[in-house]
Amino acid sequence: MTLSALSFHRVAALALALAAVSLGLFAPHAAAQARSLDGVNFTGPLVTANPAGVPRGHWYIEPYLVRVDSDAGYDANGRRQRSSDSGAWLTVVPIAYGMGERVTAQVNLSAARADAAGARSGAVRAGDTTARLQYLLQAPSADGTRPAISVALLQRFATGSYDRIGGNPLNAQGDGVQRTTFALGVQQVLWMPNDRPLRWRGQLSASPAPARVALHDSSVYGTDPGFRGSIARGSLLGLSLGAEYSVNARWVAALDVTASRESDQHITGYAPGSEGLRSINQRRPSSSSVSVAPAIEYHFSPSLGLIAGVEFSVGGRNSGAFVSPQIALGMFF
């Protein structure tokens, strides 16, 4: 079975199996030998969030520069179909602060400039903003073999433009959705036979269907000028599994596997037609996506690290295929 054939449920089963193996087999072996994480540095992989949080009174800032390109998509049967070229440059800046021994607060700021077929968005535009509040249920042991376990509440704010975008659809940099997400995260260190650590982490997230979003005129959802109506987005389920292998104090190899699924969407409203206003009642089927993201980390010091890699889709249904090279600088204060 190829990776492109993996469904969301198979990726979830893989994550649960890895968790069971690591907790049941590796942890007792590691506990039997005294090991130290002194001199071991990790930035975290490209995608999966940090379940351990940030120590009290400290900051962690990791600005990303990201390029996203797409020239294909996945149909309802999961077949890859050619589409027109589109892309964007993005900057994403996660800023995390340790509010207490167990509480970490984080905000993700973003901006982008899109392009397609020689056209570009009017300027660099702000994207949507996400705030995250995380509580550490179980702190990790000094050698990392006892897992860090946390729960988190995420709130997405529609700060990016998504409708009334005029004649240039590339001016849309958000989706208009105020989405609330609940997440459970786990992180653990596994000590390899050569006494080098492999750190894995996983996050399972769920978001109920958000409130309807009012739409006016041209929008990111393909509505026409003069449209008046709304869209009901679906519930969202996501899974992310990441791993980092410490080659030495400076170099780390990292990999993420992610999967997500959104239930169907429903657009209703009215738009001008040749004989006056016409009714719009459009239901869009559920969508899913699976991607992988290999990366390499280089650490200048314990508080400064660089990570570079590429995330790319390997499967999906009713979703776009993409390739996204990215680089980030992690700074701990």
Side-chain angles (χ1 to χ4, degrees):
M1 179 176 60
T2 62
L3 185 56
S4 60
L6 282 175
S7 67
F8 177 88
H9 299 91
R10 290 183 180 128
V11 175
L14 177 63
L16 292 174
L18 177 58
V21 169
S22 64
L23 292 175
L25 299 180
F26 283 87
H29 174 73
Q33 303 181 40
R35 292 186 172 105
S36 172
L37 289 172
D38 291 343
V40 176
N41 299 306
F42 294 111
T43 66
L46 284 175
V47 180
T48 310
N50 176 14
V54 178
R56 180 179 182 179
H58 290 274
W59 295 84
Y60 188 75
I61 303 174
E62 191 176 22
Y64 281 73
L65 177 62
V66 181
R67 174 68 189 180
V68 181
D69 286 297
S70 177
D71 62 1
Y74 299 101
D75 63 18
N77 295 314
R79 293 188 295 261
R80 186 183 177 99
Q81 305 287 349
R82 186 74 167 82
S83 66
S84 58
D85 294 350
S86 62
W89 284 101
L90 298 87
T91 57
V92 182
V93 185
I95 303 171
Y97 177 71
M99 298 180 63
E101 296 300 329
R102 294 181 177 269
V103 180
T104 297
Q106 179 174 322
V107 61
N108 292 353
L109 308 175
S110 66
R113 185 167 192 179
D115 54 80
R120 288 182 172 82
S121 56
V124 176
R125 293 172 173 264
D128 291 339
T129 300
T130 302
R132 178 187 180 100
L133 188 64
Q134 179 173 292
Y135 182 79
L136 186 63
L137 296 174
Q138 176 175 283
S141 56
D143 65 356
T145 55
R146 182 180 65 201
I149 303 174
S150 66
V151 291
L153 174 67
L154 294 82
Q155 181 64 47
R156 184 173 182 177
F157 300 97
T159 52
S161 54
Y162 64 94
D163 69 349
R164 294 191 176 100
I165 54 179
N168 188 353
L170 299 177
N171 286 336
Q173 300 299 335
D175 63 9
V177 176
Q178 312 276 7
R179 185 180 288 278
T180 302
T181 302
F182 305 93
L184 172 67
V186 180
Q187 177 175 282
Q188 185 186 33
V189 171
L190 309 179
W191 288 93
M192 299 294 99
N194 63 354
D195 281 336
R196 296 305 303 173
L198 183 148
R199 187 176 75 171
W200 74 273
R201 61 172 56 165
Q203 177 176 277
L204 179 65
S205 61
S207 169
R212 297 188 71 94
V213 177
L215 300 176
H216 303 83
D217 301 315
S218 300
S219 74
V220 69
Y221 298 102
T223 54
D224 297 322
F227 177 83
R228 294 293 184 272
S230 63
I231 182 170
R233 291 287 297 267
S235 59
L236 189 63
L237 186 64
L239 175 68
S240 179
L241 183 66
E244 300 167 280
Y245 175 69
S246 174
V247 178
N248 54 44
R250 293 194 180 275
W251 291 98
V252 174
L255 177 69
D256 287 286
V257 179
T258 66
S260 64
R261 185 184 187 278
E262 183 178 358
S263 60
D264 60 342
Q265 307 173 12
H266 191 198
I267 294 178
T268 56
Y270 296 90
S274 58
E275 300 179 356
L277 291 178
R278 58 188 176 91
S279 176
I280 304 294
N281 190 342
Q282 183 182 96
R283 188 170 294 277
R284 300 180 178 180
S286 62
S287 61
S288 61
S289 179
V290 180
S291 68
V292 298
I296 294 292
E297 304 171 19
Y298 180 80
H299 296 266
F300 302 96
S301 71
S303 59
L304 184 65
L306 186 72
I307 182 170
V310 56
E311 182 182 8
F312 54 92
S313 58
V314 294
R317 293 179 185 273
N318 300 312
S319 60
F322 65 90
V323 177
S324 178
Q326 45 197 282
I327 187 169
L329 184 65
M331 298 171 285
F332 179 78
F333 302 95

